[in-house]
Amino acid sequence: MVMDIQFEQVGYTYQPDTPFAFCALKDINLTIKEGSYTAIVGHTGSGKSTLLQHLNALIKPTAGVVKIGDRLITTDTPNKNLKEVRKEVGIVFQFPEAQLFEETIEKDVAFGPKNFGVEGEELKKVVRDSLQMVGLDDSYLERSPFELSGGQMRRVAIAGVLAMKPSVLVLDEPTAGLDPRGRKEMMGMFYDLHKEQGITIVLVTHLMDDVANFADYVIVLEKGQVIKQGLPKQVFTDTQWLTTQQLGVPAATTFAQQLMARGFQFDTIPLTTKELAQEIAKILRKSGEQV
Amino acid sequence: MKPIITLEDISFKYQEDAEKYALKNISGSIYPGEWIAIIGHNGSGKSTLAKMINGLLLPQTGQVSVNQLPVNEENIWKVRQSVGMVFQNPDNQFVGSTVEDDVAFGLENSGVPREEMVIRVNDALTKVRMSDFKEKEPARLSGGQKQRVAIAGVIAISPDVIILDEATSMLDPKGRFEVIDTIKQLKEERNLTVISITHDIDEAANANRLFVMKQGELIHVGTPEEIFSYGEQLVEMGLDLPFPEKLKIELNQLGIETPNHYLTEEGMVEWLWTSSLNK
Ligand SMILES: Nc1ncnc2c1ncn2[C@@H]1O[C@H](COP(=O)(O)OP(=O)(O)O)[C@@H](O)[C@H]1O
Ligand SMILES: Nc1ncnc2c1ncn2[C@@H]1O[C@H](COP(=O)(O)OP(=O)(O)O)[C@@H](O)[C@H]1O
Ligand SMILES: [Mg+2]
Ligand SMILES: [Mg+2]
């Protein structure tokens, strides 16, 4: 099955036909390509989490169509038969650790696959493998998830989603609250899953460095609408625009601009520390040759 | 000046029979109007320490005092009036059915008269720029909005000390800037003492002093300049590297030598500019 996810003129209104009706998404058109690493950015309240919940039909559009692989989801789509979609598209919500509930970590991670009929040795293996992917060894199996630190609880919750073996992994600010090393490890882990197993990643983040380092496509939301989308290079070129939008700019790009203000000239504007170092190296070597 | 918070050799285990101390022999003082950033890896004991300061947890040995008052079961309500705490996850801290009610909740408990309550609630919501959401249900707000309401709830009590336990970690850059800006303003206006637990190097840079925690121990106390000059060791302390340090690492990998000492961003720009001229 081709797992492209497509939004066509999608709108979503919370509590429609009531005085509290609130239009959280309007006229969204976008495609999340199978095998891509797509970043979704935008201010708090811009509709990112609402959009994510459309990716596995947890909520259905109140206008337009969402195509998940070959499934069409509209307002009228009945709630049954959505199990397959939910298995293919795994969502890691914000603060997923809040949803842990079993008395051991093994049971918690097993909950999803068990629901889909996995059992016995296969279940044991998938639980172990998933925990290993998030960097927790077998010694954690029998422990209670509630005596772990926040970061470890987060990993357990992510393992629970990975245990479903989704082909699309949707991450809603997955590193919020982790320390920088934990953040780096977790982002590395998602990237490995993407590279080695071809998992499509949809990442909601406020960290432009993560977008620059990992994503191959960026979607910018503002007040429920897509206001820009494209390759990171395209979206980040207009730093002036990003700054007025208060969305943040990658650290390497900001630093490159400080260098430009001092007199440096770059062929292309660097987005990552590596690119910046390469550009600087070129310049330093060139100026070495001229003397 | 007398300290507003003193920690005297406090130790704590979550289970009496546990091998590991969540906090071990912590001593220190915090002065009125200070901004302290507590840094350290996940699991190093930062949240546990914060909970000691507002009496959510009591140490097994040692003594915590707030305003010269020992933190114990007897004084707990007085302590909670002077120490407000905002947690990382906004979803666990709401009780009211509207934003307004929620902010008022803490005040009802402390017996503030009705008219003053209304003023304080409005004031606090304006400070965090959430007045427009007064009548909304907290559950219907998005994460960052919830966090601003939680901060308003604390501000309304006008505590002497506010503890932010990674409270900005899930805000967007704009929200983070606004919250820090609000906290800075309150600190100026009310001589608020701020304790912020953070992994954000820019947020830590706002502090007067940094407390570095590691495996339950307080291993360093120093100004941001002192602590930031630890360079690559900062990663061990739960902070990110300052950008110039990251750039140095990448440049070294390309065979370009860089100065060993700590450079600020401006320092790094100057060094690179000079190098590009002098080669
Ligand atoms: N259950 C809900 N009922 C009503 N409004 C909601 C609900 N959830 C979110 N909203 C509103 O929809 C908008 C978008 O929210 P959300 O998708 O959570 O944004 P983001 O994830 O970008 O912060 C916000 O203004 C929020 O207040
Ligand atoms: N409720 C609890 N029960 C048992 N152990 C806990 C509990 N909360 C935290 N711990 C343990 O105490 C240590 C310190 O945790 P914490 O103070 O939350 O660290 P930090 O806030 O620095 O991430 C960790 O080893 C953690 O696993
Ligand atoms: Mg969200
Ligand atoms: Mg903590």
Side-chain angles (χ1 to χ4, degrees), chain A residues 14-15 22 24 43-51 94, chain B residues 136 140-143 145:
Chain A
Y14 283 104
Q15 298 168 285
F22 182 84
H43 293 141
T44 301
S46 60
K48 303 180 298 295
S49 297
T50 306
L51 191 152
Q94 265 170 300
Chain B
K136 280 224 180 189
R140 302 205 185 284
L141 304 176
S142 66
Q145 293 171 326

Side-chain angles (χ1 to χ4, degrees), chain A residues 35-36 162 166-169 190 193-201:
Chain A
S36 71
L162 291 175
S167 58
V168 181
L169 185 61
F190 296 137
L193 287 170
H194 173 66
K195 279 286 160 214
E196 286 160 21
Q197 305 186 22
I199 295 185
T200 308
I201 305 264

Side-chain angles (χ1 to χ4, degrees), chain A:
Chain A
M1 175 162 70
V2 183
M3 272 306 296
D4 282 2
I5 301 178
Q6 240 170 322
F7 282 52
E8 285 171 11
Q9 297 176 338
V10 168
Y12 187 80
T13 301
Y14 283 104
Q15 298 168 285
D17 309 320
T18 73
F20 308 106
F22 182 84
C23 175
L25 294 178
K26 37 179 182 286
D27 196 28
I28 305 278
N29 292 289
L30 56 87
T31 301
I32 291 168
K33 287 228 171 66
E34 179 174 13
S36 71
Y37 193 130
T38 302
I40 300 180
V41 303
H43 293 141
T44 301
S46 60
K48 303 180 298 295
S49 297
T50 306
L51 191 152
L52 289 193
Q53 293 172 72
H54 285 80
L55 296 174
N56 74 350
L58 267 183
I59 58 181
K60 290 172 285 183
T62 52
V65 187
V66 178
K67 289 187 197 163
I68 306 170
D70 47 19
R71 286 293 306 265
L72 294 187
I73 313 285
T74 65
T75 309
D76 305 320
T77 305
N79 278 328
K80 54 186 180 186
N81 300 328
L82 291 174
K83 223 175 167 181
E84 192 55 29
V85 165
R86 306 254 161 91
K87 192 194 162 313
E88 286 299 317
V89 183
I91 302 191
V92 176
F93 290 101
Q94 265 170 300
F95 292 103
E97 57 273 24
Q99 284 153 35
L100 298 174
F101 67 100
E102 293 279 9
E103 70 221 33
T104 70
I105 290 171
E106 179 166 30
K107 282 187 188 165
D108 220 299
V109 176
F111 181 79
K114 216 167 138 187
N115 254 347
F116 283 92
V118 181
E119 50 189 24
E121 278 309 308
E122 196 192 338
L123 183 61
K124 282 213 159 114
K125 181 168 162 23
V126 85
V127 169
R128 271 176 205 178
D129 289 351
S130 309
L131 281 171
Q132 199 177 1
M133 281 187 232
V134 298
L136 300 176
D137 61 31
D138 289 356
S139 72
Y140 283 88
L141 288 170
E142 293 303 316
R143 289 176 63 181
S144 158
F146 302 105
E147 44 183 60
L148 302 179
S149 75
Q152 290 169 323
M153 282 167 79
R154 175 95 39 104
R155 284 165 189 264
V156 172
I158 293 169
V161 174
L162 291 175
M164 311 277 282
K165 302 198 176 160
S167 58
V168 181
L169 185 61
V170 180
L171 305 160
D172 198 351
E173 300 183 36
T175 62
L178 299 187
D179 61 20
R181 187 162 69 183
R183 214 157 61 203
K184 203 170 160 194
E185 283 171 6
M186 199 162 282
M187 290 310 294
M189 175 186 99
F190 296 137
Y191 196 64
D192 290 347
L193 287 170
H194 173 66
K195 279 286 160 214
E196 286 160 21
Q197 305 186 22
I199 295 185
T200 308
I201 305 264
V202 180
L203 171 76
V204 167
T205 184
H206 295 305
L207 302 172
M208 294 305 146
D209 282 350
D210 284 347
V211 178
N213 284 325
F214 301 109
D216 48 34
Y217 199 75
V218 191
I219 295 167
V220 186
L221 282 184
E222 174 70 15
K223 299 205 172 96
Q225 290 186 292
V226 175
I227 52 165
K228 220 179 189 88
Q229 56 177 319
L231 305 176
K233 270 261 179 279
Q234 296 166 333
V235 172
F236 287 132
T237 305
D238 198 349
T239 51
Q240 189 85 48
W241 182 81
L242 286 167
T243 310
T244 13
Q245 295 288 323
Q246 291 187 286
L247 284 169
V249 178
T253 310
T254 307
F255 193 80
Q257 285 180 317
Q258 281 174 255
L259 288 173
M260 281 152 76
R262 193 69 184 84
F264 273 82
Q265 280 179 345
F266 296 106
D267 298 338
T268 58
I269 184 103
L271 302 186
T272 65
T273 314
K274 208 178 232 49
E275 286 170 11
L276 175 62
Q278 282 161 352
E279 289 293 321
I280 291 172
K282 256 198 276 180
I283 292 168
L284 292 186
R285 284 187 190 124
K286 215 183 281 167
S287 65
E289 281 160 18
Q290 280 167 1
V291 180

Side-chain angles (χ1 to χ4, degrees), chain B residues 80-148:
Chain B
R80 299 262 169 90
Q81 290 300 308
S82 33
V83 183
M85 185 142 156
V86 183
F87 297 93
Q88 178 182 30
N89 184 349
D91 287 331
N92 301 336
Q93 39 195 326
F94 288 105
V95 285
S97 59
T98 66
V99 163
E100 210 170 16
D101 284 356
D102 201 89
V103 175
F105 180 77
L107 291 174
E108 277 165 10
N109 271 347
S110 58
V112 173
R114 171 92 203 143
E115 308 82 69
E116 197 192 328
M117 206 157 97
V118 175
I119 298 171
R120 283 218 216 167
V121 168
N122 284 335
D123 199 35
L125 283 172
T126 309
K127 274 254 178 295
V128 299
R129 296 177 181 82
M130 283 299 288
S131 316
D132 291 350
F133 294 80
K134 254 187 350 204
E135 279 142 37
K136 280 224 180 189
E137 248 183 84
R140 302 205 185 284
L141 304 176
S142 66
Q145 293 171 326
K146 286 178 185 165
Q147 204 61 314
R148 305 232 289 273

